[in-house]
Amino acid sequence: MTELSVLTLNCWGLKFVSKEREDRLTAIGRYLADTSRGYDIVGLQEVWVYDDFLRIRDLVRDTLPYAKHWYSGALGSGLVILSKYPIVGSTMRRFALNGDPMKIFHGDWYVGKCVVSAIIAHPTCGEIEVFNTHLHAGYDPVGTVDRYLGCRVGEAWEMSSLVTAAASQGRHVISLGDYNSAPNSLVVGLLTKRGGLTDSWAKVHPAPTNPVPSGLTPDEGVAIMGVTCDTPLNTWTKHTWINHHTNDAIGERLDYIFFRETPEFSCTHVDVAVREQISGIGAANSGSKNYSDHFGVHAKFIIKPAVYHFENRAGAMLSDPFSSSPAAPTTKSSAPDDMSVETLEEILLLLQQYSAMTLRGPKLELKVIVPLCIVAQIALIIGNFFVETRWVAGILTVLVGALGAGWMSHFLYAFLYGRETEGTYKNLIDEVQESLDRRTGQKSTGSRTSSHYQATGARNSLLQ
């Protein structure tokens, strides 16, 4: 029997954007290097700058000697896993639904949102596969339409397939990171019900329900609700978030350590970590500041050698690790897949709604904006033949070039991004439909229209 100490932390390391980035990430490296912390595995998010990773890696070399950083998209994944034990394998999978390239200031598409994993060889407990991710951010106020909820649900669907495949290999499984989702969300529901994961915080600190607490202070929000982000207690918080459970302005729990609970793998302790405020960040005499705009999550596990570690490995290998429906292993690590018919219908309707909403922009560009730009460009080209004034002709030539570049970029966006996103939603909807058909015992005949499920009652809350 062995104790395993695991930490996840969003480091807020965006170049040119995050305040006091170099000072803070150096301080995070020193924090992790402190031997009294006793961390065995650490997952970091938003380590966007490779030099920051190198600096952290050098600082923790004696305590967490094994480190892996992944690239994704144009600007990098920002994901890092540090380990006390050897990393013997690693993977990276970019999510099929990944944001919108036209939303430049949101940036998620450009960093290639993905999930990474490291297979860690524990000396007594066998292989542990650790997944680390940072799901698509939400940019809309509470109570308004969340434009990227469909993305996060699609990402969680993919992740639930991957963790199921990892467990079918007989490995212990940990999935940590910034999920940008509240504990009551479909995202967390997919990971726990379809992926068979357990939320470590909810396991150790179940949310009080009788009665539901109200009027919590920020300190109580951290202690009782596990708040990690947008809390008034953090010196970097700009806007305090309304908590989903208590409706208090105490922030939200967005960072998680999930694990695959088995008789050999259990969670004994969870706390909100890396809460300290320290000096030495930024200008002298600028006061004490937090390490990041997120707090971390720290969990301790009791882990035993997996008795089924190499059982049925051949059968597990028959499944495609990137398929949403891996072959069911005969070991006791197979996924429970406890998704109810009602939840699957809710997911299906949500994906249909978000597919239509997401594709509205590309279709408008392709059918209206691109033709208008082409017509305007042709008109300016013709008009240029009848203009004798040189400077006017010069301006028209510039406008012709700008319109040409404009309609070409809009066409590429609408055609490439629009068609890819449309296909991705269709595939995802088909997969959910197949799961629903298996649940209801019906033969799959392809995707159904949303009107089939509106008979169950329109769920206006899906877009909240």
Side-chain angles (χ1 to χ4, degrees):
M1 183 181 300
T2 304
E3 186 175 82
L4 192 74
S5 179
V6 180
L7 175 76
T8 182
L9 176 66
N10 182 320
C11 296
W12 193 37
L14 289 81
K15 194 170 187 177
F16 307 124
V17 176
S18 300
K19 296 180 179 179
E20 314 297 352
R21 190 198 84 248
E22 292 187 15
D23 288 348
R24 288 188 302 97
L25 269 74
T26 299
I28 288 171
R30 293 184 180 128
Y31 179 95
L32 298 176
D34 186 346
T35 55
S36 66
R37 312 278 181 197
Y39 298 130
D40 298 305
I41 298 171
V42 174
L44 303 177
Q45 303 84 46
E46 291 201 22
V47 185
W48 303 113
V49 181
Y50 189 67
D51 285 345
D52 291 338
F53 162 68
L54 294 178
R55 191 160 54 254
I56 291 174
R57 186 191 65 182
D58 290 341
L59 287 167
V60 304
R61 190 179 298 276
D62 295 332
T63 53
L64 298 162
Y66 302 95
K68 176 64 180 174
H69 169 274
W70 285 264
Y71 294 95
S72 182
L75 301 176
S77 71
L79 301 175
V80 170
I81 291 179
L82 308 170
S83 174
K84 180 179 178 180
Y85 307 107
I87 296 174
V88 297
S90 65
T91 60
M92 186 278 286
R93 176 171 175 173
R94 185 168 176 172
F95 292 123
L97 290 174
N98 215 330
D100 188 337
M102 291 295 266
K103 300 292 191 281
I104 296 174
F105 292 105
H106 291 176
D108 296 73
W109 186 87
Y110 294 94
V111 300
K113 289 291 184 175
C114 62
V115 55
V116 303
S117 76
I119 299 172
I120 295 172
H122 193 281
T124 60
C125 303
E127 292 179 353
I128 306 169
E129 186 155 6
V130 180
F131 292 87
N132 186 10
T133 193
H134 185 190
L135 299 190
H136 201 298
Y139 296 93
D140 303 292
V142 174
T144 63
V145 173
D146 183 348
R147 287 167 288 174
Y148 297 112
L149 177 58
C151 269
R152 289 195 297 279
V153 169
E155 291 165 354
W157 185 272
E158 287 188 68
M159 281 203 65
S160 64
S161 300
L162 294 175
V163 297
T164 299
S168 74
Q169 301 286 321
R171 299 180 185 124
H172 297 297
V173 175
I174 296 171
S175 183
L176 50 77
D178 178 356
Y179 290 81
N180 274 314
S181 303
N184 68 332
S185 65
L186 280 175
V187 168
V188 173
L190 271 167
L191 293 167
T192 56
K193 298 297 184 182
R194 185 170 185 265
L197 297 175
T198 297
D199 175 3
S200 60
W201 180 273
K203 181 71 177 180
V204 178
H205 306 284
T209 56
N210 189 22
V212 174
S214 60
L216 294 183
T217 66
D219 283 304
E220 291 171 331
V222 171
I224 298 173
M225 306 305 301
V227 167
T228 60
C229 187
D230 295 317
T231 166
L233 299 177
N234 194 304
T235 57
W236 303 109
T237 295
K238 289 184 177 180
H239 308 288
T240 302
W241 203 260
I242 303 299
N243 189 268
H244 79 283
H245 192 65
T246 68
N247 207 34
D248 296 321
I250 57 174
E252 189 56 272
R253 181 159 72 96
L254 303 180
D255 304 86
Y256 298 81
I257 298 178
F258 297 101
F259 70 106
R260 190 64 175 265
E261 188 172 21
T262 67
E264 294 79 31
F265 195 23
S266 59
C267 184
T268 59
H269 172 85
V270 187
D271 63 276
V272 177
V274 201
R275 295 178 51 192
E276 299 90 340
Q277 295 180 13
I278 60 171
S279 58
I281 294 178
N285 303 320
S286 60
S288 298
K289 301 172 185 176
N290 286 102
Y291 287 93
S292 174
D293 63 345
H294 283 239
F295 294 153
V297 180
H298 170 227
K300 290 183 179 180
F301 301 93
I302 294 296
I303 185 169
K304 305 174 186 176
V307 296
Y308 49 87
H309 188 71
F310 292 106
E311 294 178 14
N312 201 32
R313 168 97 42 169
M317 291 296 288
L318 294 176
S319 64
D320 179 358
F322 293 139
S323 166
S324 63
S325 304
T330 59
T331 66
K332 57 189 170 184
S333 63
S334 58
D337 195 0
D338 291 332
M339 302 295 292
S340 66
V341 170
E342 292 75 15
T343 302
L344 286 169
E345 288 180 346
E346 185 176 5
I347 293 170
L348 188 62
L349 180 56
L350 180 144
L351 291 173
Q352 290 166 338
Q353 290 175 329
Y354 271 87
S355 175
M357 183 174 71
T358 303
L359 296 173
R360 199 175 298 143
K363 287 180 178 178
L364 177 67
E365 303 244 351
L366 201 58
K367 294 180 179 180
V368 178
I369 296 177
V370 170
L372 284 177
C373 287
I374 292 174
V375 170
Q377 185 186 31
I378 293 172
L380 288 177
I381 291 172
I382 295 172
N384 208 9
F385 285 107
F386 299 97
V387 173
E388 296 181 357
T389 307
R390 182 173 297 179
W391 68 269
V392 175
I395 292 175
L396 291 179
T397 301
V398 171
L399 291 175
V400 167
L403 284 170
W407 74 256
M408 181 58 73
S409 61
H410 283 286
F411 171 79
L412 291 174
Y413 164 75
F415 182 74
L416 297 179
Y417 167 76
R419 291 296 297 274
E420 181 183 17
T421 302
E422 182 179 22
T424 299
Y425 268 111
K426 284 181 177 178
N427 289 337
L428 192 55
I429 288 169
D430 283 346
E431 292 182 27
V432 179
Q433 179 68 67
E434 289 164 3
S435 294
L436 181 59
D437 289 338
R438 286 196 297 271
R439 283 288 182 189
T440 58
Q442 298 180 25
K443 184 177 180 180
S444 178
T445 57
S447 298
R448 304 179 186 180
T449 61
S450 59
S451 61
H452 176 86
Y453 295 102
Q454 288 172 359
T456 63
R459 296 175 173 87
N460 295 326
S461 63
L462 293 179
L463 300 182
Q464 300 302 316

